[in-house]
Amino acid sequence: MSERQVVTRIAPSPTGSMHIGTARTALFNWLYARRMGGKYLLRIEDTDRERSTEAAVKVILDGLTWLGLEPDEAPVFQFSRADRHREVALELLARGAAYRDYMTPDELAEERERARAEGRVVRTPWRDANGGPMDPDRPHVVRLRAPQSGETRIDDQVKGEVVFRNVDLDDLILLRTDGTPTYNLAVVVDDHDMGVTHVIRGDDHLTNAARQTHIYQAMGWDTPVWAHLPMIHGPDGKKLSKRHGAQAVSEFDDMGYLPEALRNYLAKLGWGHGDDEIFSDAQARAWFDIRDVVGAPARLDWDKLNHLNNHYIRLAEPERLADLVEAVLKSRDWPLHDGDREILVRTLPLVREGARTTLELADAVVFALKRRPLELPDKVRGQLTEETRSRLGRLAAWIEEAEWTPAALEASIRSFAEAEGVGIGKFGPALRGVLSGGSPAPDLAGALVSIGRDESLARIRDALPNEALGAIRL
Ligand code: GLU
């Protein structure tokens, strides 16, 4: 390769959702461009007018934004370039590298039958009809005059050298009967015009690489470097499908995964840096090489993704986690009140240790957000014997004087237990139940800090018989 600046691109078709495979393709293109100091572009392949709604395009743009993989330039919309694609087809005609094929649909159907019976690809008599009628008004398609003998070699950065026998490739259609350009023509013209040097995409396009090479050659253009990525399979090794759960990027968002966790995870799907499980974007950018991608299908592994997500949840700023958890709670119609934000910010760092997703984080904070009086489950009620209630009354008075920090409260609870001559186990579970209403909660001191002084004391008071109330000054 010459010293051209590396230009990569992703070229998704708007289908209404953004597949996780597309996200990984985007990531690898982005990483490679970053590694090489190049450019990473986006082309929206919106030639299917029915599917390419504004909403479907937005899904892709939103997905890339969420993943932090926005392109370096404004997207190119393929449909808007149809005239340019036609122009290239006409130039190929003028060069004799393409020809008009006037086979009627019936004739084509017959030829297909014959080709199938003879075990060969479709051929048309118009390829060699030199000097025959070339009437542009008679219905026809424009086909590429592709080589019929020899081989086309794809020197693929991931798959190695892949060889296609040209006899197995038919003369691909460039313009349909209605004059619209076909997919392979549009891709080549766009990639060429966008200056794309590296085409990194799913290996379902490997055969297209051979066909597209013929167009490049016919135009005398440089072919890009090819890199075809293996598919992503489900944990069972089968092609990823609905059965395996989430497939769309938005679903991973809805399930409470952080974009940086998904990025780290996707980078590991087919590529890796030794045994490193966790790496930052900066490390991935410094290490990534398309040649290190493995050719075999990658398997989705939910345990690994959960592990990474937990890692990034533990690293995240509490304010950001609070935003995410607020969104989860809103989606659950949980009523948020003034002051809940502060509760979230101080509670999240105390409960995030084991959380695999932001949905689990939301479950882990509800104890602190509940409104009084809390509904106590039977189990907690059962723990509230008269003895325990009066002890909780004394405890409330005792800790009220403490500084409201985890360390101070822990010490205060310990000294209270000593003063009472009992173990913490004697009243701890009941206290926890009264504070949390039976929801998951961190240790006692953590729960008290999360809930806050006044609210904690009030929750304890709510659970006490009237005669014990005197012990609590509120
Ligand atoms: N539009 C194609 C797809 O969504 C990608 C084409 C390409 O990357 O060359 O599968």
Side-chain angles (χ1 to χ4, degrees), residues 9 11-13 43 45 183 187 199 201 204-205:
R9 70 4 175 224
S13 314
R43 179 171 71 241
E45 303 215 311
Y183 164 73
V187 167
V199 168
R201 61 185 174 192
D204 47 335
H205 289 286

Side-chain angles (χ1 to χ4, degrees), residues 53-363:
T53 57
E54 221 173 281
V57 171
K58 189 170 180 300
V59 166
I60 292 174
L61 300 178
D62 288 352
L64 291 174
T65 303
W66 182 76
L67 280 164
L69 300 176
E70 286 139 313
D72 296 334
E73 291 177 6
V76 170
F77 287 86
Q78 187 161 64
F79 180 71
S80 71
R81 295 178 36 83
D83 285 345
R84 166 69 179 145
H85 305 146
R86 263 189 294 276
E87 181 184 295
V88 171
L90 295 180
E91 187 174 337
L92 287 166
L93 272 176
R95 291 169 171 230
Y99 61 93
R100 298 183 204 269
D101 174 9
Y102 297 91
M103 263 205 293
T104 64
D106 285 348
E107 286 168 345
L108 181 59
E110 280 169 31
E111 165 59 10
R112 279 219 182 92
E113 271 306 306
R114 273 196 305 274
R116 193 166 37 230
E118 293 170 20
R120 57 167 177 81
V121 297
V122 166
R123 297 291 177 199
T124 151
W126 295 97
R127 176 181 166 110
D128 301 315
N130 282 338
M134 289 304 237
D135 178 0
D137 295 329
R138 181 172 158 198
H140 66 280
V141 298
V142 173
R143 284 186 192 265
L144 184 73
R145 194 185 302 279
Q148 290 188 338
S149 59
E151 292 169 343
T152 300
R153 284 166 195 275
I154 300 298
D155 184 13
D156 195 273
Q157 300 290 295
V158 177
K159 304 276 172 183
E161 188 176 62
V162 187
V163 179
F164 293 86
R165 296 192 316 163
N166 290 331
V167 70
D168 296 332
L169 302 170
D170 63 355
D171 281 353
L172 74 98
I173 296 177
L174 302 173
L175 295 182
R176 301 185 187 89
T177 313
D178 64 2
T180 55
T182 55
Y183 164 73
N184 277 305
L185 173 66
V187 167
V188 170
V189 175
D190 290 346
D191 281 340
H192 172 264
D193 289 0
M194 289 163 75
V196 171
T197 59
H198 289 68
V199 168
I200 303 170
R201 61 185 174 192
D203 65 8
D204 47 335
H205 289 286
L206 192 54
T207 308
N208 283 333
R211 296 170 155 286
Q212 292 171 4
T213 296
H214 293 160
I215 305 180
Y216 280 100
Q217 288 168 345
M219 283 303 287
W221 290 339
D222 284 344
T223 46
V225 175
W226 307 104
H228 287 90
L229 308 173
M231 297 282 107
I232 298 177
H233 284 180
D236 57 1
K238 304 233 168 73
K239 194 167 182 264
L240 197 61
S241 70
K242 281 210 174 66
R243 196 158 56 77
H244 295 113
Q247 295 184 84
V249 169
S250 61
E251 290 174 281
F252 286 85
D253 183 10
D254 293 345
M255 287 164 73
Y257 291 98
L258 302 184
E260 63 268 40
L262 197 59
R263 272 203 306 274
N264 190 154
Y265 179 71
L266 289 175
K268 289 282 298 174
L269 272 186
W271 175 76
H273 186 262
D275 290 334
D276 292 328
E277 287 296 331
I278 292 172
F279 39 76
S280 66
D281 287 331
Q283 287 171 317
R285 283 200 303 252
W287 294 333
F288 186 80
D289 193 330
I290 196 68
R291 281 179 294 233
D292 296 336
V293 174
V294 291
R299 283 190 195 200
L300 201 69
D301 180 334
W302 288 99
D303 288 341
K304 278 195 181 153
L305 176 57
N306 286 330
H307 174 73
L308 283 171
N309 208 44
N310 169 259
H311 170 80
Y312 288 104
I313 282 176
R314 284 186 286 120
L315 281 186
E317 288 297 328
E319 289 284 349
R320 175 177 170 221
L321 285 183
D323 285 342
L324 294 168
V325 167
E326 263 176 15
V328 174
L329 292 169
K330 275 186 196 142
S331 75
R332 292 177 182 174
D333 293 324
W334 179 276
L336 286 163
H337 300 84
D338 285 351
D340 283 354
R341 175 85 194 178
E342 285 137 63
I343 295 176
L344 284 176
V345 171
R346 69 177 181 250
T347 304
L348 285 166
L350 301 171
V351 300
R352 63 176 158 186
E353 228 30 51
R356 295 176 303 179
T357 65
T358 56
L359 305 191
E360 291 186 2
L361 265 185
D363 296 338

Side-chain angles (χ1 to χ4, degrees), residues 11-20 22 44-61 242 247-250:
S13 314
T15 58
S17 79
M18 183 168 173
H19 194 267
I20 189 79
T22 307
I44 305 277
E45 303 215 311
D46 57 348
T47 50
D48 179 341
R49 300 313 288 161
E50 258 166 48
R51 299 185 92 179
S52 302
T53 57
E54 221 173 281
V57 171
K58 189 170 180 300
V59 166
I60 292 174
L61 300 178
K242 281 210 174 66
Q247 295 184 84
V249 169
S250 61

